[in-house]
Amino acid sequence: MATGLSVSRLVRAVINLSPVAAARRGFGTLLAAGDSDVIDVRERIRSYTTLESVAADFGLSAPEYYAAALYFGQSPHPLRLMIGRWASADTSAILYGGALSSAEQTIGTWQAITTGSFKIAIDGTDRTIASLDFSAATTMTGVAAIINTGLGIYGGCTWDGNSFVITSDSGGATSTLGYAVAPPSGADISALIKCTSGTAASAPIDGVDAETPAECALILANASAAWFGLTFAATASITDQQYIDTAALIEGLDLKRIFAITTQDADCLDGTVTNDIMSELKDLAYKRTWTQYSSSSAYAAVSAVSRAFSVNFAANRSTITLMYKTEPGVAAETLTETQALALQDKNGNVFVEYVNDTAIIQYGTMASGHYFDEIHGLSWFEDAVQNNVYNLLYTSKTKIPQTDAGQNQIVAAVTAACEEAVNNGLVAAGIWNADGFGQLERGQNLPNGYYIYASPMALQAQATREQRIAPPIQVAIKLAGAIQEVDILIDVNR
């Protein structure tokens, strides 16, 4: 039965949904790189929001747990911690079997097998694992132990509570495993252990050669853009040169990051020593590396970073300085004035005891002498400006014209980021004490805390215009800074 003609014959309406704006980076996530084998070299990174979840994976005695305890022990602390895998030594190939159901774990089923066998390629050579007698096994762990014995010098097998895990006994890039397949004779258990191509939890993971900390940092940087800070929490020791190499990498990465180092080298407290890690990093003027001395904690810097990363740049007056903050879980140092001055001269940091029964972080500086909060805040600001302009271009239903009006739209996007910086306390009104540009001169007051100048389109070179490149936009911002020391002069008269 006809219902009438469609209205669209005469009136046509089309709905165009604007693209969802690109998300900004986060600047409140630390990545702790450890060498426990909980995370394999394929997965590389896991995220955690509670200390309990870290403990469930790593237990209560792993370096990764100790670092996480300080991270989540801060108040306030960030929402997320990432833990990454550092292959500090050659790793072995791994094959994770599929999870067995309760019925498949029935021990009687396994006890009936006395000639179990399967074939698997280990390091490129096919190995037949035969004569596996499970008649005396009483648990799945016992079944895995029998398979482990059968693998002999070529590999190992464990039971993780749900599945079998097979590893090669070799290490490095030549360590490989294939899937389990049917053997030439015996009772085939390749499907029972769920290590075939159709039943395994994932493809076999090849081993890798041992990595330096810098090599690991580069792999982790390429693996995820979600983390902003990096530290190491591992059983393997790291040399000063390896720390320096990693700091150099972090300094040069295109996507901005920071690197946190805890040192327990007492030479950092000696002003006459110039070859300790703090002195060497200061000489290299690395502005993205934080060093902290602690005689009691190998992960003290994690607590400082956690406090800094709790900043919400979208909130009002939310930016902080690390000076005067505390480090729950870290024993405060008792230093002499000479030692404190040595650390200050080396741009190092420490959680230190004062005579008024308080303990604070001082001095809040990176190896270059720049303050942590300024490097942190400016990294956020750079991203805010970039994303505001990107989203203007990305979400616009029509093109942004190459005119002064179009340029003004970009200026408005930059202005919005500047206003955010004023709101969170990174930027404030003040005197501009650098070379000027546009109408800005040295010594001029910036009442808003910032000044933006865009040269007129009429001055743009034709060759540049034809490439559809906007004229440069110059931004001057006045950092709010922070008061950390005070001189009080008291005159007394009788």
Side-chain angles (χ1 to χ4, degrees), residues 275 374 409:
N275 63 348
E374 292 182 346
Q409 292 185 58

Side-chain angles (χ1 to χ4, degrees), residues 122-207:
I122 303 178
D123 299 339
T125 302
D126 287 340
R127 306 289 180 184
T128 297
I129 313 304
S131 302
L132 301 176
D133 184 356
F134 301 109
S135 60
T138 57
T139 64
M140 295 305 293
T141 299
V143 171
I146 293 168
I147 298 173
N148 182 72
T149 300
L151 286 164
I153 63 172
Y154 304 113
C157 179
T158 58
W159 173 254
D160 69 3
N162 293 294
S163 58
F164 294 102
V165 180
I166 296 178
T167 58
S168 169
D169 265 3
S170 62
T174 59
S175 181
T176 61
L177 282 173
Y179 291 107
V181 297
S185 61
D188 179 17
I189 65 167
S190 59
L192 286 177
I193 62 176
K194 291 199 172 182
C195 288
T196 66
S197 60
T199 58
S202 63
I205 301 170
D206 294 342

Side-chain angles (χ1 to χ4, degrees), residues 161-450:
N162 293 294
S163 58
F164 294 102
V165 180
I166 296 178
T167 58
S168 169
D169 265 3
S170 62
T174 59
S175 181
T176 61
L177 282 173
Y179 291 107
V181 297
S185 61
D188 179 17
I189 65 167
S190 59
L192 286 177
I193 62 176
K194 291 199 172 182
C195 288
T196 66
S197 60
T199 58
S202 63
I205 301 170
D206 294 342
V208 299
D209 294 332
E211 303 158 350
T212 66
E215 289 171 338
C216 173
L218 181 58
I219 291 170
L220 296 174
N222 290 329
S224 173
W227 60 271
F228 178 66
L230 173 68
T231 195
F232 280 86
T235 56
S237 60
I238 301 176
T239 67
D240 285 358
Q241 187 58 53
Q242 288 175 325
Y243 273 134
I244 292 169
D245 293 342
T246 307
L249 172 74
I250 296 297
E251 195 78 12
L253 289 175
D254 180 61
L255 196 63
K256 301 299 187 291
R257 323 261 190 168
I258 65 102
F259 184 37
I261 299 171
T262 304
T263 179
Q264 297 186 290
D265 183 3
D267 281 348
C268 293
L269 305 177
D270 189 340
T272 66
V273 177
T274 59
N275 63 348
D276 57 277
I277 185 64
M278 287 183 176
S279 298
E280 294 189 35
L281 287 169
K282 176 191 174 181
D283 289 343
L284 293 168
Y286 287 147
K287 63 181 180 293
R288 296 194 164 275
T289 297
W290 162 280
T291 55
Q292 179 172 342
Y293 172 77
S294 175
S295 63
S296 63
S297 173
Y299 316 107
V302 171
S303 183
V305 171
S306 175
R307 184 64 183 89
F309 283 7
S310 68
V311 170
N312 182 347
F313 287 103
N316 179 249
R317 298 176 62 184
S318 58
T319 53
I320 64 173
T321 173
L322 279 178
M323 184 80 169
Y324 297 103
K325 302 303 182 291
T326 62
E327 291 188 339
V330 177
E333 303 295 322
T334 302
L335 302 181
T336 66
E337 287 292 332
T338 300
Q339 291 172 328
L341 288 172
L343 282 175
Q344 185 175 25
D345 182 63
K346 297 177 181 184
N347 294 335
N349 300 278
V350 66
F351 183 53
V352 66
E353 190 84 31
Y354 270 75
V355 295
N356 60 356
D357 292 329
T358 65
I360 63 170
I361 298 173
Q362 66 176 36
Y363 299 88
T365 57
M366 309 302 274
S368 62
H370 293 86
Y371 288 100
F372 187 109
D373 56 283
E374 292 182 346
I375 299 301
H376 188 200
L378 289 172
S379 297
W380 164 83
F381 181 72
E382 177 184 328
D383 180 77
V385 170
Q386 287 178 333
N387 269 278
N388 279 9
V389 175
Y390 178 88
N391 281 326
L392 170 67
L393 300 171
Y394 176 61
T395 62
S396 178
K397 292 186 178 66
T398 61
K399 67 182 180 181
I400 305 299
Q402 203 162 357
T403 63
D404 287 333
Q407 183 82 325
N408 287 339
Q409 292 185 58
I410 299 176
V411 170
V414 175
T415 301
C418 292
E419 286 294 329
E420 285 186 80
V422 173
N423 181 64
N424 63 37
L426 177 66
V427 171
I431 302 300
W432 183 253
N433 293 315
D435 291 339
F437 51 83
Q439 284 75 50
L440 179 64
E441 300 291 342
R442 183 186 293 270
Q444 185 175 330
N445 182 47
L446 291 180
N448 296 323
Y450 64 90

Side-chain angles (χ1 to χ4, degrees), residues 448-460:
N448 296 323
Y450 64 90
Y451 169 74
I452 303 172
Y453 174 74
S455 59
M457 283 288 179
L459 300 180
Q460 186 179 35

